[in-house]
Amino acid sequence: MQSELVRQPVFMIRDVQTLKVFSDPLRLQILEQLFPKPQTINKIADELGLSSSRLYYHFNLLENHGFIAVVETRVVNNIIEKVYWVTAEDIDIDKDLLNFSSQDGQENVLNVINSSLELARQD
């Protein structure tokens, strides 16, 4: 079953949780792979040299935060396979989210940096 995805010109990141999802290096690689055309988790896993089981969590986060969407489902060997695509042509960050002049903005930046550093340590 195929659905028509109308991609937005820009996906705007407006909250810290979505920014944290976006700042993960593996998720950025997934988005780069999906940008030109819709693909399955298995196809992306092959291209990145990873097991598909390692990517399901990341695909779920990207889908739940609106970065990607299912554009097709099909049955392959009695298993439903989903085809994903990015929801926008570009991604931008709301400038107010990183407003250094406010206490919230400074905390947002520090939270994202700390989260990114922790992910780098784990890798």
Side-chain angles (χ1 to χ4, degrees), residues 24-34 39-52 54-56 58-59 62:
D24 180 86
L26 179 55
R27 290 182 211 127
L28 287 172
Q29 287 181 307
I30 292 169
L31 291 171
E32 287 173 3
Q33 294 293 318
L34 287 174
Q39 298 183 62
T40 65
I41 291 177
N42 289 334
K43 177 73 171 150
I44 298 294
D46 288 345
E47 290 177 12
L48 296 177
L50 300 170
S51 69
S52 58
R54 182 167 179 218
L55 297 184
Y56 283 102
H58 298 283
F59 269 75
L62 290 168

